[in-house]
Amino acid sequence: MRNDIISELPDSLITQILLWLPTKDLVKTSVYRPDGEIFGLKFQEWIAAAVDRGIQHLDFETKNPSLFLKDSMPMNIYKSKTLVSLKLVCVELENPKFVVSLPCLKIMHLENNWYGYDAPLVVEKLIAGCLVLEDLTVVRIHDMVIPDLPLLHVKSLTLKILRLVFDLEMMTTIPISVEIDAPKLEYMSFINRHSDTIMVKNLSSLFKLNLDTEFGYSSLEPRDIIRDVLTGISSVRQMIISQRTLEVICRYSKLGPIPKFHHLSHLKAAFSSTSLQLLPAFLESCPNLKKLILDLYVSAEPEEIDLTNVPRCITSTLECIEINKLIRKEATGVKLVHYFLENSPILKKLKPSFTDSPMSTMTNLPLDHLYKMYLTARKRSRRCQVIIS
């Protein structure tokens, strides 16, 4: 069988050809060999040459996981004077033996990469070498061996946006804990489906937070960890919080008071019907809340809830409430809607959303009749508009 012409060209000439190709065509060069060998062997030279020529935006992803273990990224990528944005997915990054210097890099996205046995250290060096970094994403999902380096420091004086995703449920080694120190951070998303520990400090500029973690609740001092994290994020203005995170916080509330979120105005939270009993206690920590969105998950055997305690935000600041995933035949949801209607004197809008059909399974009433049922409830706010969907 006749070999393809490109494979027979000298390596130096192939590199020059690849340098002049657009990225989408460059990736297509792997079709010249069934195993993608040309691409696997030449990408290092191509990226090194592109960095030397002053590339500003580099977005590189290896579709075949076996390829990035053949060759790591070129070392000059750690010394680029022109890179503004860098996205690396499924590649190998070696631990540089020199000081990283990326003076223009503002956006960095690291996803499912292989760092050898120095994973936290490599990421820390990259962050430390970016003096103007504003947007950082670190995603780690693959079941790869991570060494006994339990702490990743995310420390930056310029960082404004941070996304950390650690889905390491299949790992058998010690999980990575994270310490975040970013005084200018405005948005943070921390999604961690493993019992890692998170530590935060100097987050006074935090505006919006997406939190899905268990805080390392299985560690020796869970109370101190949760208290410190909640105190560290207490300046947040808008927050999205998962069901499992809330359940941990509610367990903590039995051990000590939840720190106050005095600046929090918007909250989206997921509750199970069994944990709704703890909703008033959590809302007590949000005295100035204006908008509340609840995603309700009905358990197999919902418990009877006692909603007698009325937090300050319900009586003084709460203006808009959305309750999603209600079930008409489930009494907990109806009781929750009435609880807000009867205790919110300045409420402007309440929007319950049902997951079942518009016809009630209890009374066979159509949607407009149900709408009237809610309107006839004893409302404290005459201006409140009830919108059922």
Side-chain angles (χ1 to χ4, degrees), residues 8-23:
E8 297 176 352
L9 295 175
D11 288 353
S12 58
L13 182 55
I14 293 177
T15 300
Q16 290 300 315
I17 293 173
L18 295 179
L19 282 173
W20 290 104
L21 286 176
T23 304

Side-chain angles (χ1 to χ4, degrees), residues 36-87:
E37 184 178 346
I38 290 179
F39 181 62
L41 294 177
K42 303 303 175 186
F43 85 87
Q44 205 177 29
E45 297 178 33
W46 177 83
I47 293 177
V51 171
D52 288 340
R53 291 176 60 177
I55 190 173
Q56 291 185 316
H57 306 281
L58 178 58
D59 183 339
F60 187 85
E61 177 178 357
T62 302
K63 296 295 185 181
N64 186 346
S66 64
L67 288 179
F68 77 85
L69 294 178
K70 293 182 178 179
D71 295 283
S72 61
M73 298 298 288
M75 298 304 285
N76 68 341
I77 202 171
Y78 297 110
K79 286 283 190 178
S80 171
K81 296 180 180 180
T82 58
L83 272 176
V84 176
S85 66
L86 175 64
K87 182 177 181 180

Side-chain angles (χ1 to χ4, degrees), residues 158-183:
T158 59
L159 194 62
K160 296 180 180 180
I161 299 173
L162 175 62
R163 306 174 194 86
L164 296 175
V165 180
F166 298 107
D167 192 355
L168 304 175
E169 293 181 353
M170 300 300 294
M171 286 187 56
T172 57
T173 55
I174 185 170
I176 296 179
S177 298
V178 181
E179 181 179 285
I180 302 167
D181 183 354

Side-chain angles (χ1 to χ4, degrees), residues 240-307:
I240 302 172
I241 190 166
S242 72
Q243 176 183 339
R244 68 195 189 103
T245 302
L246 273 172
E247 289 176 352
V248 174
I249 293 175
C250 290
R251 290 201 298 268
Y252 164 79
S253 67
K254 299 177 182 179
L255 304 175
I258 301 174
K260 298 288 186 182
F261 294 89
H262 289 286
H263 303 285
L264 188 66
S265 61
H266 290 64
L267 173 64
K268 181 176 181 181
F271 275 91
S272 65
S273 56
T274 55
S275 63
L276 270 177
Q277 187 69 48
L278 303 170
L279 175 62
F282 184 76
L283 291 181
E284 285 284 4
S285 65
C286 313
N288 298 303
L289 194 65
K290 291 186 176 181
K291 182 173 182 179
L292 173 63
I293 302 176
L294 293 178
D295 287 337
L296 185 61
Y297 296 90
V298 178
S299 58
E301 298 180 359
E303 298 178 359
E304 181 68 22
I305 58 173
D306 179 19
L307 298 174

